[in-house]
Amino acid sequence: MPLKAFRGPKVWLWRWRRNPLKRRADVLEAWVVLGACLLTVLAGVLAGLAAAGSVEDGLARERATWRPAVARVVDQAPGASPGHGSGASAGERVWAEVRWTVPDGSAHTGRVRVEPGSRPGTPVTVWTDPQGHLVSRPTTASEAAFRATLIGLLVGVSAGAVPFVAGLAVRGRLERHRLAAWDTEWSRLGPQWGRMV
């Protein structure tokens, strides 16, 4: 409590007010802090919005171009047939080779997860890109919005951290310079005070 009495009331924007004790370093520090704050917010918001928009557009493009196709199992899948209870545990799927035909009539093959023990010719739904290559199921609109928001936040925080850390570094350098100037002044004026006492 006594320390607060020595400090006095906190005055906002004191570095911009007229004051005979204000040094050039105080004004420079004020501009550095203001610039770092503005750049932190601006860089974070712009980078976050750009990243979120890019992710959202990419996922929307996937939803628009990726299509489901019916593929057929080529060879007997490993494991017991569905419903026989032995082999793979419930819900566990195994890799098997499947074949499907794309709209241009060309046949493609690939490996996907199927029910254990699936027989040759068993239909399986797969997702393909416009060239007919296997892809994962596209994200739903709500999944895409969540993913875009999360990535936008991460990119925004990361981008905002750059000017924030740079501002801290410049402010720390100004503080060291100010302390060195105080030491110089004290070494010049300190002996004079000793003579006065």
Side-chain angles (χ1 to χ4, degrees):
M1 190 69 173
L3 185 60
K4 188 171 183 177
F6 288 116
R7 229 184 278 161
K10 186 166 182 105
V11 178
W12 291 98
L13 304 174
W14 67 270
R15 286 187 173 98
W16 279 282
R17 294 175 186 230
R18 293 188 179 276
N19 183 342
L21 298 177
K22 181 172 62 176
R23 298 163 303 217
R24 191 172 66 93
D26 295 330
V27 175
L28 184 60
E29 182 181 358
W31 283 109
V32 165
V33 169
L34 178 65
C37 289
L38 289 176
L39 283 175
T40 297
V41 171
L42 192 64
V45 168
L46 291 179
L49 288 175
S54 175
V55 169
E56 186 86 45
D57 290 345
L59 294 176
R61 207 168 23 259
E62 288 177 0
R63 277 194 308 278
T65 58
W66 292 1
R67 297 280 178 245
V70 176
R72 305 262 175 207
V73 175
V74 175
D75 295 319
Q76 176 80 27
S81 298
H84 285 87
S86 61
S89 62
E92 186 177 330
R93 297 169 72 88
V94 296
W95 288 100
E97 187 168 340
V98 296
R99 178 176 289 125
W100 67 95
T101 304
V102 294
D104 69 4
S106 60
H108 292 267
T109 58
R111 294 182 61 81
V112 297
R113 290 194 174 267
V114 299
E115 292 291 331
S118 294
R119 299 181 184 281
T122 303
V124 179
T125 300
V126 296
W127 287 86
T128 61
D129 64 10
Q131 290 76 35
H133 300 117
L134 281 178
V135 292
S136 59
R137 179 185 63 82
T139 59
T140 64
S142 60
E143 291 170 342
F146 176 75
R147 189 181 297 180
T149 301
L150 187 62
I151 291 173
L153 284 172
L154 291 174
V155 169
V157 168
S158 300
V162 173
F164 180 77
V165 170
L168 287 179
V170 171
R171 190 173 181 203
R173 186 173 177 147
L174 288 171
E175 183 70 23
R176 287 191 298 276
H177 179 65
R178 181 173 31 242
L179 291 175
W182 283 355
D183 284 344
T184 303
E185 286 294 315
W186 182 251
S187 65
R188 187 173 62 85
L189 296 175
Q192 293 176 6
W193 281 24
R195 281 186 295 231
M196 290 180 187
V197 174

